[in-house]
Amino acid sequence: MRVWTNTESNGAIHAMGNGEMVVYGQGANLTNIYGPPYSAPNTLSLTTEGSEQLQDTAVREMGTSIWNHKTSVAGQPAVDYTEFVASDMAAYIRLFDCKSEGVRWVLHPHPAAKFTQCALVPGVWQQIIKAGQNAYNYPTNLWSFHRIVPQGSCKTELSPNGDLVISILPGKGSLAVVGASTYPDAVTETEKLMKLGAAAYLEPTHAHWKAFTERRLAAKPELKKLPADMAEVVDSIATLIKSQQSNDGGVMAGHYYALAYVRDQYGTAKGMLSIGMVEEARKNLEFRLRKYLLFGTLQTAETMGVDCARHIHENDESEGPGYTILQARDYIELTGDHAFGQKMWPMLDWCWTVQTKHLAGGLLPFNGDETYVAGGFFPRSGLNQGSADSTLVFIEAGKWLGKWAVDHGYWSNGFAKDQMAMVKQASEAYRKHFFAGNLIWANEPERLDHITPPRFRHGVCEGSCGWFGWTERSDKGRYLCPNCIGVKDVPAEVPAKMEVNSVSLLPAYLESDILSNEETQRVLEHVLSQADAQGHISSVPGKPACVGYDPGLILISLTKLHSPKAKQACERMLKLLDDTGAWVEYYGGGDARIGCCRARPWESGINVKALVNYLSQTK
């Protein structure tokens, strides 16, 4: 049960979506509405208001992303409603039954738009967002047309500041937000909804989710035997991920980020495969393949449902391509679908080759969108150093791809031998530079001795001005934007070797044998020894927070070793779930870090994978 009040802060957010429209709820409020398509401006938001204290309790129906709410005013029942995104229309719907007055739903328009009445359809309002408004940080090339359809026992009026205020009155009714990227679709879809009535969309949506859940469990029948509480966790993550997957296969990174990120997709796909979302995992690879065939490259993140922008970070030819190969590996090894692997071959070949040119001393650099970089755990000034993450991803991608490419006639034995020589060099370099007996260093400054750093790169300005785009290397080795270069004095910085627990925990997650079980045990004991009284382990020793997938990485490693400590690690990981049933981007101590992204497919995917691994071992 998710409890919300209008006087207390609770950041938990739930996702509802159908591949065309995705909506994020925060208790009785709506924080974000995207689509169609998923990569679109955040259309509008909704707050629930009243003259007295409001409390809303929400419960998700198992197997679905349909939420049932009970809102009270000053402790007295006021409004019951069911909310969902319709399965076959880009429409968010609330079906309500009002017992007493006192609740208002207030819709806030996009900053570049306003609500106007539809002259030809009395009682219906519209909002039009012109092309050029941002989807995340990038201007979209599509218009957004949204129609607000309140029906039944409610009164709607435009406030002086342009908000649309819907006062809920005793009786039954509905509120719908219909979205489209063309005006004709907005008109005809609204007409369809008004003809059938919003309530007519509930049962088809139930049926849609029932079919999804049955298909998912058929693909992974052992999940049917889980205890009820564990089944509910798995079910919650399945619907969380499914709601955020675009029709073209990309998965949202969360309510802040209307883009599909390469690294996020790998962790999400591992979760998908572990809980029976095989069709969704294939669709996600098809999304990446389509982008490769269209552009000839892969970048940190891509837009979904539209090709209007690409999110290019520092060193995008490192790590991300390797993760794409590993994502293909995981899918093919589970399904045996080698025919699909052959379809992906041009992308897989590029993903391998593009990494090799960045090997220096057997090491690859960091990708600039690494979560512990974005989270402030590792400094951006160290991105050209050797990265344990990127190097290990390269090693494991090469070990699988080399054999698979030979078996299917894409590489000759001689060519494969040359590639495996690079894998061997990287493996030796990994153990030499990163493995330190009971920990794995995140970085290796010595890589800088083997390279000439590029003059220009695309990413974040190290002058801390907020710039994202092209940067230039200063005479002190710092990458600055056109406004800061030559103006801002940013001193030289060469980070020393750093310990990042997320990095130490990566081998088991990647299914790597780079460490023996005994070595893995030593590393794991070192990580576990850092736990505070509440069991919290920071991503970087001495710093307070951790990335949201660290608890899953710990559990994956403990489970691999059949450690009795896995039980406690699993219990702690489950305690970190918020009350919508999701894991989040960052944790500070025992709770979500303020301002972090919620409803995260990536962290939730990794952690549910860890949970399924553990449960399968203890059944």
Side-chain angles (χ1 to χ4, degrees), residues 340-360:
F340 184 54
Q342 292 170 321
K343 183 179 177 181
M344 287 190 286
W345 173 250
M347 177 178 72
L348 298 178
D349 186 43
W350 178 87
C351 283
W352 174 253
T353 303
V354 78
Q355 294 178 89
T356 60
K357 65 184 182 182
H358 297 285
L359 273 180

Side-chain angles (χ1 to χ4, degrees), residues 181-511:
S181 57
T182 71
Y183 178 68
D185 283 346
V187 172
T188 56
E189 292 293 89
T190 302
E191 290 174 345
K192 179 181 174 183
L193 181 138
M194 295 182 72
K195 179 180 179 180
L196 295 175
Y201 290 85
L202 181 57
E203 283 312 310
T205 302
H206 269 128
H208 164 81
W209 280 107
K210 180 181 179 182
F212 160 72
T213 300
E214 288 178 347
R215 171 171 55 79
R216 181 177 69 78
L217 294 176
K220 198 87 171 180
E222 58 267 36
L223 297 177
K224 298 177 184 179
K225 301 176 184 178
L226 292 179
D229 56 344
M230 295 297 98
E232 184 173 357
V233 172
V234 171
D235 185 81
S236 174
I237 301 307
T239 56
L240 173 85
I241 294 173
K242 179 68 172 176
S243 291
Q244 295 182 85
Q245 184 169 32
S246 169
N247 278 343
D248 62 358
V251 179
M252 296 277 287
H255 67 289
Y256 285 165
Y257 310 110
L259 300 172
Y261 287 71
V262 170
R263 190 188 306 103
D264 289 43
Q265 312 294 276
Y266 178 66
T268 302
K270 273 186 113 60
M272 286 176 170
L273 292 173
S274 74
I275 58 178
M277 297 175 65
V278 179
E279 182 177 309
E280 286 74 18
R282 177 187 171 113
K283 198 172 181 181
N284 188 245
L285 283 166
E286 289 174 339
F287 171 84
R288 201 62 61 187
L289 175 61
R290 180 187 169 278
K291 293 291 185 179
Y292 170 75
L293 295 175
L294 179 63
F295 295 113
T297 62
L298 299 179
Q299 306 295 165
T300 282
E302 306 279 0
T303 50
M304 295 166 287
V306 66
D307 300 311
C308 64
R310 314 188 79 200
H311 190 51
I312 304 171
H313 245 292
E314 301 94 343
N315 301 332
D316 268 3
E317 292 179 344
S318 183
E319 191 181 56
Y323 270 124
T324 301
I325 294 172
L326 292 179
Q327 189 174 340
R329 174 200 71 178
D330 292 352
Y331 173 81
I332 292 171
E333 288 188 347
L334 179 72
T335 64
D337 190 357
H338 295 283
F340 184 54
Q342 292 170 321
K343 183 179 177 181
M344 287 190 286
W345 173 250
M347 177 178 72
L348 298 178
D349 186 43
W350 178 87
C351 283
W352 174 253
T353 303
V354 78
Q355 294 178 89
T356 60
K357 65 184 182 182
H358 297 285
L359 273 180
L363 307 175
L364 285 176
F366 288 83
N367 177 271
D369 194 55
E370 180 59 71
T371 292
Y372 52 77
V373 174
F377 304 118
F378 181 82
R380 198 165 295 276
S381 55
L383 293 183
N384 286 328
Q385 297 182 3
S387 162
D389 278 13
S390 298
T391 304
L392 185 58
V393 168
F394 173 81
I395 292 165
E396 297 308 319
K399 284 161 60 176
W400 176 79
L401 189 65
K403 183 178 186 309
W404 190 88
V406 169
D407 289 347
H408 292 84
Y410 291 112
W411 284 355
S412 66
N413 287 326
F415 184 80
K417 183 178 180 180
D418 291 341
Q419 308 315 299
M420 292 310 99
M422 286 188 282
V423 171
K424 183 174 184 292
Q425 179 196 18
S427 299
E428 292 170 351
Y430 181 92
R431 290 188 61 90
K432 174 184 176 182
H433 293 287
F434 299 123
F435 180 55
N438 68 343
L439 63 87
I440 297 173
W441 296 113
N443 60 313
E444 175 51 89
E446 285 186 21
R447 182 178 181 273
L448 299 175
D449 298 336
H450 299 276
I451 66 168
T452 300
R455 178 179 175 183
F456 303 101
R457 73 183 188 192
H458 200 276
V460 177
C461 175
E462 291 185 65
S464 302
C465 67
W467 171 276
F468 185 87
W470 282 109
T471 63
E472 183 176 359
R473 194 167 186 266
S474 73
D475 57 359
K476 295 182 179 177
R478 306 301 293 276
Y479 285 88
L480 304 176
C481 71
N483 296 320
C484 291
I485 190 77
V487 176
K488 189 172 286 188
D489 183 20
V490 182
E493 181 178 88
V494 180
K497 280 195 172 184
M498 284 186 61
E499 180 182 357
V500 178
N501 286 321
S502 313
V503 177
S504 291
L505 297 165
L506 201 68
Y509 167 65
L510 297 183
E511 301 167 37

